[in-house]
Amino acid sequence: GNSVTQMEGPVTLSEEAFLTINCTYTATGYPSLFWYVQYPGEGLQLLLKATKADDKGSNKGFEATYRKETTSFHLEKGSVQVSDSAVYFCAFLGGNTPLVFGKGTRLSVIA
Amino acid sequence: GAGVSQSPRYKVTKRGQDVALRCDPISGHVSLYWYRQALGQGPEFLTYFNYEAQQDKSGLPNDRFSAERPEGSISTLTIQRTEQRDSAMYRCASSLLAGGRETQYFGPGTRLLVL
């Protein structure tokens, strides 16, 4: 069935370190792919998205590329900041499915 | 409004009581979605509406859960005879257009605790 598998956390990094959070999906067809972020005490916010193969979504220094051949949408950032500490959710949306989320990955960035 | 709003933000109730959770979507958004998120998990779909019509309620866990959106704007998710296992964060989202690929924008959520 439809599912998203993302890297288990928590992930703890030092400021300015490189970040990768892996995400793979199982879906029929060609879904749209999303990363949502939840900062402490706040709701879910859309971070970035990609709607077709090889598209790259980017926002706030974060990037993710839609890889159809590996059914992946890994999130990367070259230099994390303390303010990036949050829970990150990978999700996909197919033509006939609701948003399907991964379990979330908690990121803590220490100064 | 500027964003999706939900009320109450927190709700503590006793087992067996009914609760009503409200969602006010972004003005003009056609579609409205309800999700439930358990601790340490991602949100899981409950139901959604296009305008006032409920399109899919396959995610509602049982018949104690119901939702409505009578005028195509504000929606209410009602849980009757609450049980402790209903404790979770309930999230609402809206999208500008109907259709399976529209970006969904989320509200802050309602945290429900059933004692």
Side-chain angles (χ1 to χ4, degrees):
Chain A
N2 298 325
S3 66
V4 174
T5 302
Q6 62 180 105
M7 183 171 152
E8 283 196 24
V11 174
T12 303
L13 295 174
S14 298
E15 212 166 19
E16 300 183 3
F18 184 85
L19 169 72
T20 300
I21 301 178
N22 290 338
C23 170
T24 57
Y25 65 91
T26 302
T28 55
Y30 304 98
S32 295
L33 303 176
F34 303 84
W35 278 98
Y36 282 86
V37 58
Q38 182 177 3
Y39 297 103
E42 299 185 16
L44 278 173
Q45 299 177 23
L46 177 67
L47 180 60
L48 54 84
K49 68 176 184 179
T51 58
K52 61 182 188 296
D54 300 324
D55 266 4
K56 178 184 285 187
S58 61
N59 186 25
K60 298 182 180 180
F62 290 89
E63 293 183 339
T65 301
Y66 190 139
R67 300 288 187 202
K68 178 173 169 295
E69 63 277 11
T70 55
T71 61
S72 65
F73 194 52
H74 305 321
L75 182 68
E76 296 182 337
K77 186 173 185 180
S79 176
V80 293
Q81 305 300 312
V82 171
S83 57
D84 294 327
S85 298
V87 182
Y88 292 82
F89 293 92
C90 184
F92 75 80
L93 188 62
N96 294 306
T97 63
L99 262 176
V100 177
F101 285 88
K103 292 186 176 182
T105 303
R106 181 175 298 278
L107 170 66
S108 296
V109 180
I110 54 177
Chain B
V4 179
S5 60
Q6 293 184 246
S7 61
R9 293 290 306 275
Y10 303 92
K11 177 70 177 177
V12 180
T13 190
K14 293 183 179 178
R15 188 178 54 185
Q17 298 294 305
D18 297 351
V19 295
L21 311 181
R22 173 184 163 129
C23 173
D24 198 344
I26 295 172
S27 179
H29 276 203
V30 167
S31 298
L32 184 149
Y33 307 80
W34 284 99
Y35 294 82
R36 180 169 70 171
Q37 184 177 5
L39 207 58
Q41 302 292 317
E44 293 185 346
F45 170 77
L46 294 176
T47 185
Y48 88 96
F49 296 81
N50 286 340
Y51 299 103
E52 72 283 358
Q54 192 168 20
Q55 299 293 316
D56 183 348
K57 55 181 181 179
S58 62
L60 296 177
N62 51 61
D63 60 8
R64 295 186 296 105
F65 287 72
S66 63
E68 63 174 8
R69 192 186 185 199
E71 297 179 0
S73 179
I74 293 168
S75 177
T76 303
L77 177 70
T78 301
I79 309 173
Q80 296 180 312
R81 305 180 302 281
T82 52
E83 301 177 4
Q84 288 182 330
R85 59 179 171 156
D86 299 334
S87 296
M89 175 73 82
Y90 289 83
R91 296 195 183 276
C92 174
S94 68
S95 64
L96 177 62
L97 300 174
R101 296 181 179 276
E102 289 293 313
T103 299
Q104 295 178 25
Y105 298 90
F106 283 80
T110 294
R111 184 168 294 284
L112 174 66
L113 177 61
V114 182
L115 301 176

